[in-house]
Amino acid sequence: MCFRKLVQQLRRGSWSPEPHGYDDRAPERDLRRRYRAAVETLPDLQREVFWRHRIDGQPLAEIAAALGLPSAEVEGHLSCALVAISDALDPLDAD
């Protein structure tokens, strides 16, 4: 499953575990599991900024105003979150 489909599922609220048994979508489930784990392990502020921007689609300036932070700081939190998620999804680092 591509990243966009995963984000679309998150936005619709249809991100749920697959039924048990053989499924040729095992790599997709693994990617979703690793993605979910990566997002859940982000520090609170990074996770909030990531979620608001990438999942809810809020502009960074709006997030900055809502959180009372400078835009540059919000951008920094988003950047750190994206790097952490990318590192967690790196196939060379897979469990």
Side-chain angles (χ1 to χ4, degrees):
M1 172 179 293
C2 73
F3 180 76
R4 281 194 191 130
K5 280 188 174 182
L6 185 57
V7 170
Q8 288 171 350
Q9 285 184 353
L10 286 169
R11 285 182 178 155
R12 287 192 311 255
S14 62
W15 186 14
S16 63
E18 314 303 340
H20 296 286
Y22 176 75
D23 189 348
D24 62 350
R25 295 176 296 171
E28 294 172 9
R29 285 193 324 274
D30 181 57
L31 176 61
R32 269 188 265 156
R33 179 191 58 76
R34 291 172 49 217
Y35 179 81
R36 183 181 323 133
V39 171
E40 290 173 356
T41 60
L42 291 172
D44 291 341
L45 192 52
Q46 285 182 19
R47 186 173 51 251
E48 171 124 12
V49 169
F50 172 81
W51 194 270
R52 285 178 177 226
H53 184 65
R54 289 297 176 110
I55 307 304
D56 294 339
Q58 271 186 313
L60 290 176
E62 190 176 307
I63 297 168
L67 297 177
L69 299 172
S71 292
E73 187 174 336
V74 170
E75 289 174 18
H77 287 299
L78 179 61
S79 177
C80 289
L82 294 172
V83 168
I85 292 168
S86 176
D87 287 349
L89 298 178
D90 185 345
L92 297 177
D93 291 336
D95 298 344

